[in-house]
Amino acid sequence: MLTFISLICLALGPEKDACGQSVITVPYAKPIPNPLPDYALTSTWAALPEVADAADRVPLRSDFEDQQASARADVFFIYPTTYVQSPDGRFPWNASLADSALNLATDESTILNQASVFNGSCRVYAPRYRQAHFYAFLTPNNDDKVQALNFAYADVRTAFEYYLQHYNQGRPIVIAAHSQGTLHAVRLMKEFFDNKPLGDQLVVAYLIGMPVQPDEFRTIPPGGAPGQTRCFVSWRTFAKNYYPDWYQKEVNTAVCTNPLSWKTDDAYVSQKENLGGVGLKYTYYPQLADAQCHEGLLWISKPYIKGRAFISNKNWHNADINLFWANVRQNVQTRIDAFISKEKQ
């Protein structure tokens, strides 16, 4: 049982609140100048439809298939923080794209466990970017945090512009992100989709792992039904009856979408409605978790697996997608079908 929990925590990158991990808190060096990413190079992408990568895989013990070759929509996926430490204990604010160890860790964690959920109905595009170190979320110096996140977002924006110019060709777009990626995705949505012509191509945005307010956008509302399009969904997963230490009123008002019903009400949904999650060694587990929204948080009971009585984890941030993997996969297809059907009318 502990191995299952450890996989979820470690596979997606250790975060102090999420899995009880600690991070190095030595003084930072300022971001050092380095070449801008060249998104014409396939090596500057963690996932591309025409390249064999971790986003092409499907869970063990499942009958899912990679359908990117026939997909009618694209997903632009922005991965979460995987830059959490360095061997010598000192590091720049932002990761280097030349860090092969970090790139491999990213591919074997979030690209495998999260980005792959979209390969059943989308061509998967996931750019590498010079992400902010996890300490950016802990530092008391807000100016440093802003600088690091702005630096990271500039890469995401450049990658998206390259995607639009060279890959999209007018196809429907799904925006998907987790944790730090969601912060960048919200900015991207405001700059390119919200009250903009490109909004007509937006199927849905999965803005997961960070609080997003109902009025975050002017023209893109929270989704309240499984087949709703041109909307966003968002959730953050915790153990039932648990409130994180940093729980604030603004979190209380954040959107919570139940990934088992795709509604924003507080109705409890049994694990019987869970089509399956992903855990140890990228393995499929049916009926893994129940879900219920409560004051901006998504609450779950202990996952329904052997040895669940020994689970003590309270913060399931790193498993926001893993726990509901198959339901997310199905929902992406449902929304794309609805979007294309409306476009034909």
Side-chain angles (χ1 to χ4, degrees):
M1 176 46 39
L2 294 179
T3 56
F4 176 88
I5 298 173
S6 297
L7 172 97
I8 295 297
C9 293
L10 297 178
L12 300 184
E15 297 189 13
K16 186 174 182 181
D17 279 339
C19 298
Q21 302 285 337
S22 61
V23 297
I24 301 171
T25 56
V26 299
Y28 263 59
K30 294 293 183 181
I32 58 175
N34 47 38
L36 292 173
D38 182 359
Y39 288 104
L41 303 175
T42 58
S43 60
T44 317
W45 296 82
L48 284 172
E50 67 272 19
V51 176
D53 52 54
D56 303 339
R57 294 174 56 185
V58 294
L60 300 173
R61 299 197 319 213
S62 76
D63 57 2
F64 299 115
E65 296 180 356
D66 177 11
Q67 301 286 350
Q68 291 184 77
S70 59
R72 297 179 294 172
D74 298 342
V75 63
F76 189 84
F77 177 79
I78 311 170
Y79 53 76
T81 308
T82 56
Y83 181 37
V84 296
Q85 58 186 350
S86 70
D88 63 2
R90 296 184 64 87
F91 32 76
W93 279 107
N94 294 82
S96 168
L97 296 190
D99 187 336
S100 58
L102 177 60
N103 290 342
L104 180 62
T106 299
D107 296 347
E108 293 182 344
S109 57
T110 172
I111 300 303
L112 177 63
N113 285 271
Q114 297 179 327
S116 66
V117 77
F118 299 96
N119 71 29
S121 53
C122 297
R123 300 189 306 190
V124 183
Y125 296 89
R128 299 197 189 282
Y129 68 100
R130 291 169 293 181
Q131 59 178 291
H133 191 282
F134 179 59
Y135 187 62
F137 297 96
L138 302 178
T139 178
N141 190 330
N142 190 65
D143 289 342
D144 288 339
K145 172 182 178 178
V146 170
Q147 180 187 21
L149 291 173
N150 285 345
F151 192 80
Y153 175 70
D155 284 357
V156 173
R157 186 184 192 279
T158 299
F160 187 69
E161 290 179 320
Y162 186 90
Y163 157 78
L164 288 177
Q165 183 175 356
H166 297 277
Y167 292 131
N168 176 251
Q169 298 178 344
R171 291 159 57 87
I173 301 171
V174 174
I175 297 294
H178 185 250
S179 198
Q180 178 177 163
T182 288
L183 295 181
H184 303 315
V186 168
R187 292 183 66 174
L188 198 75
M189 295 271 290
K190 290 179 178 180
E191 188 169 356
F192 288 90
F193 293 94
D194 192 17
N195 203 32
K196 306 288 173 58
L198 193 62
D200 292 339
Q201 288 178 237
L202 179 67
V203 178
V204 62
Y206 293 88
L207 306 177
I208 305 168
M210 286 288 181
V212 183
Q213 297 301 319
D215 60 353
E216 190 73 47
F217 308 105
R218 291 182 292 170
T219 61
I220 304 171
Q228 186 175 344
T229 60
R230 296 193 178 100
C231 62
F232 75 91
V233 297
S234 182
W235 67 88
R236 312 174 81 194
T237 314
F238 299 89
K240 185 178 294 185
N241 299 321
Y242 174 76
Y243 294 90
D245 292 340
W246 38 259
Y247 188 74
Q248 301 280 335
K249 183 177 181 180
E250 58 266 24
V251 178
N252 178 69
T253 59
V255 171
C256 176
T257 311
N258 189 318
L260 298 183
S261 68
W262 301 103
K263 298 179 180 180
T264 56
D265 58 26
D266 61 358
Y268 170 79
V269 183
S270 164
Q271 76 277 9
K272 294 179 180 179
E273 301 302 317
N274 190 316
L275 302 176
V278 171
L280 182 64
K281 296 182 180 179
Y282 194 53
T283 302
Y284 170 77
Y285 291 82
Q287 298 185 354
L288 185 56
D290 55 13
Q292 182 175 22
C293 288
H294 179 80
E295 296 182 353
L297 305 177
L298 183 69
W299 277 354
I300 65 166
S301 304
K302 295 179 180 181
Y304 290 86
I305 54 178
K306 186 177 180 180
R308 65 189 296 264
F310 299 100
I311 298 176
S312 59
N313 194 46
K314 300 297 184 182
N315 189 329
W316 291 94
H317 173 74
N318 285 357
D320 280 325
I321 294 176
N322 287 62
L323 290 164
F324 313 103
W325 197 94
N327 291 75
V328 175
R329 187 179 182 87
Q330 181 190 67
N331 184 251
V332 177
Q333 182 67 70
T334 297
R335 294 184 195 269
I336 291 172
D337 289 345
F339 182 91
I340 292 176
S341 177
K342 291 176 184 177
E343 291 297 298
K344 290 181 178 179
Q345 293 177 0

